[in-house]
Amino acid sequence: SLEDLSVLQEKLVAEEKLVAIGQLSSAIAHEIRNPVTMISSSLKMAESAKPGSPVRLEMFRIATEEAKRLENLTTDFLAFARSKKPNIESCLVIDTLNYVASLAKARSIEKELILTVECDESLILGFDPEQIRQALLNLIMNAINATPAGGRIVIGAAAGTGLSVLFVENEGEAIAADNTQKIFEPFFTGEAQGTGLGLSIVRNIARAHGGDIYLAVNENGKVRFEIRF
């Protein structure tokens, strides 16, 4: 009986390792998808722009930056998967928001969406800029996918007494009530092609910063996610 239990234990450990590998692979694939989408959209827009035009040069710049990000993504993600401690810096928030908005520009134009940034230009917060860019990009890509053509998306930040908020808000249908308690769980997704890791990754980043992610508004015509510190 002890020998049987030992064999069973070894099988269970092996299966758990395979599951963990599968989850990690799915997470990496999810994080790769965003920059690949940005590169594809940027190059497509650059192709239709006039040679030497500002739009064409900007799209090439975005594609180059996202390609560089892909080079380091696998190594960085392994560290992140082990709950990598944030490297907190004092950041001018408007710069972070504008950077994320620029990454999503091509995709939002492709879907005929209006993307705006709302933030006091002097606001400074302490966070890991790379991790927060990753979290906001996940939120804004979800918003782009959920917003109908002609709709509006806002990425922004605000700070008050004892509370700082980064947010992404979009026009679109409310998230089904049955799903609101599950959306932050790993691998839960309402999309046929989704991996269900985007919001879970955002939550991990927010909690690593001592905060959390919330579905602050959920109604038809307005869905708003907030990272609160």
Side-chain angles (χ1 to χ4, degrees), residues 31-185:
E31 287 305 295
I32 286 175
R33 182 179 293 118
N34 281 344
V36 167
T37 299
M38 296 300 177
I39 290 171
S40 177
S41 297
S42 298
L43 292 179
K44 184 177 180 180
M45 182 169 290
E47 184 181 16
S48 61
K50 294 181 179 179
S53 67
V55 171
R56 185 182 179 91
L57 294 176
E58 182 183 5
M59 293 303 104
F60 280 145
R61 178 186 61 79
I62 290 173
T64 300
E65 289 178 354
E66 288 301 283
K68 290 178 180 178
R69 191 157 74 95
L70 279 173
E71 292 177 7
N72 300 319
L73 184 58
T74 303
T75 300
D76 291 345
F77 186 84
L78 289 174
F80 168 74
R82 292 192 293 267
S83 299
K84 179 182 177 182
K85 185 178 179 180
N87 181 23
I88 305 297
E89 303 175 12
S90 292
C91 300
L92 189 60
V93 180
I94 190 69
D95 288 346
T96 297
L97 299 180
N98 282 335
Y99 179 78
V100 174
S102 72
L103 292 180
K105 183 178 180 179
R107 180 63 174 156
S108 62
I109 292 176
E110 185 180 5
K111 283 202 65 179
E112 300 179 359
L113 304 177
I114 302 169
L115 176 59
T116 58
V117 176
E118 293 183 359
C119 179
D120 184 334
E121 293 190 359
S122 65
L123 179 61
I124 294 176
L125 296 178
F127 53 70
D128 184 316
E130 179 62 29
Q131 288 191 13
I132 291 301
R133 283 197 294 264
Q134 182 183 26
L136 290 173
L137 185 58
N138 272 320
L139 290 178
I140 205 168
M141 289 303 296
N142 283 350
I144 288 173
N145 291 335
T147 305
R152 185 169 180 259
I153 297 174
V154 181
I155 179 173
T161 304
L163 180 67
S164 301
V165 176
L166 302 171
F167 68 86
V168 173
E169 178 180 305
N170 70 281
E171 296 177 348
E173 294 184 6
I175 297 171
D178 292 343
N179 294 339
T180 56
Q181 299 301 316
K182 304 175 185 177
I183 54 177
F184 299 113
E185 296 177 3

Side-chain angles (χ1 to χ4, degrees), residues 174-185 188 199 203 213-219 223 225:
I175 297 171
D178 292 343
N179 294 339
T180 56
Q181 299 301 316
K182 304 175 185 177
I183 54 177
F184 299 113
E185 296 177 3
F188 176 81
L199 289 176
R203 182 178 64 179
I213 175 75
Y214 300 89
L215 177 58
V217 180
N218 185 41
E219 56 190 43
V223 177
F225 285 91

